[in-house]
Amino acid sequence: MEKEITKKIRVYGIVQGVGFRPTVSRHADSCKIRGSVSNRGPYVEIFAQGSETAVNLFIEKVRTCPPKRAAILKVSEEILDTKEKYPDFSIIESEKTKGEIFISPDIAICEECKEELYDSKDRRYLHPFINCTCCGPRLTILDALPYDRERTSMKEFPMCPECEAEYYNPESRRYDAQPVCCNACGPEVYLIKTSDRTIDMKGSDAITEARRVISEGGIVAVKGIGGFHLCCDASNEAAVELLRKRKRRPAKPFAVMARNLEVVQSVCELSKEQEEILTGHQKPILLLVRKEIETKQLCSSVAPGNPKVGVMLPYAPVQLLLFQYPDGIKMPDFLVMTSGNVSGAPICRSDEEAHEELSEFCDCILSHNRKIRVRADDSVMDFYKNRPYMIRRSRGGYAPLPIQTSGKWKGQVLAVGGELKNTFCIGVDSRFYPSAYVGGDLEDLRTVNALKETIQRMEHC
Ligand SMILES: [Zn+2]
Ligand SMILES: [Zn+2]
């Protein structure tokens, strides 16, 4: 019989809140491995006992078949000289150790959550904050590390017993998902009147009213994941012109959000590779060539004289609800979704900022009470020679994942870049953290303050 060995394995990367431990436990069962797995904060620690072949096969499975949203950056393994015999494989709760940690980016709503969102029998039917282990906000709700609900803006929303049961059940889709919530215990959307800054309506009434205003040619500021957008009907020339006039932005293209992939295909050229990026869990704005400069669904003032248009698909549940909601209002297939900021300033993230800066641009504000801690504007991508080409690396699967450099360079660096927009980047040793995209113009005091705030927060992490 083959000799038994015991290995201690440490997995570094995005390994928290992505269902890593249950996956490891399943791999252990399938390879007949005994031992344990625990979440140590900066890494997941595994003790694996079994025949040498089985242990190595198990490590290979952990490396190559991690959970969908995990990102493994490093795996270390060490043979232990131990007499201890593990009776089975168990998931253990343990003290988290301090150390460097990788923060997960925010993840667009997944297919399963989308289905539940529109399932009238589901208890999260039409819940604007539905999320699971595979999707939902991460970086933008984070106060400090380790990443646990009590250190996020979800702290203000204690879980109801049903959500709590899912959170602690390794078989659940919501096991260890920090922002898990439902219609009973989660945050709430509301509509703010721009005239007197009072909350006008809450919940479903607020969503219906926002849809009504947009469908009738008005402009609504909508709070999403990393900040506010200014939103109007992209097929309505008068509405888009009005937004241009109010925002004093005569010609620079506006990004649009499409109802679904099919409507994008109907107006834009889309290769297979582009389709993958557009529908992937990062949901960036992708620059696509229009089939015709003018179509009924996209009026010409969206991107005047430009053969391309920046398109993204809905990534926050509330954005899906803007397109589809059981209230009888007919919504367009494309909505303008441009960052809610005044020229030169970063994207607004709080109601106060939205009041101050966006009131003159919009007819009402659709907001909610889950606070955004770190701004993250939409990522923007183009394609060059049939390969993705990053223009702005930010929300959704990108920031704050580090870019590793190969050298042994040690030091710290602050990089600010871009001509029209800045993505700030904080480097530590050989890793560069393209942190939450702050945007804005460095000559603008609001941008400098937002940058300071972001750096402080990242240091805290
Ligand atoms: Zn999900
Ligand atoms: Zn709940």
Side-chain angles (χ1 to χ4, degrees), residues 109-110 113 131-132 134-135 173:
I109 182 169
C110 70
C113 284
N131 67 81
C132 72
C134 283
C135 75
R173 286 208 307 118

Side-chain angles (χ1 to χ4, degrees), residues 344-358:
I347 190 168
C348 294
R349 70 177 169 98
S350 65
D351 286 356
E352 292 69 36
E353 286 177 356
H355 282 313
E356 289 302 323
E357 299 182 13
L358 307 180

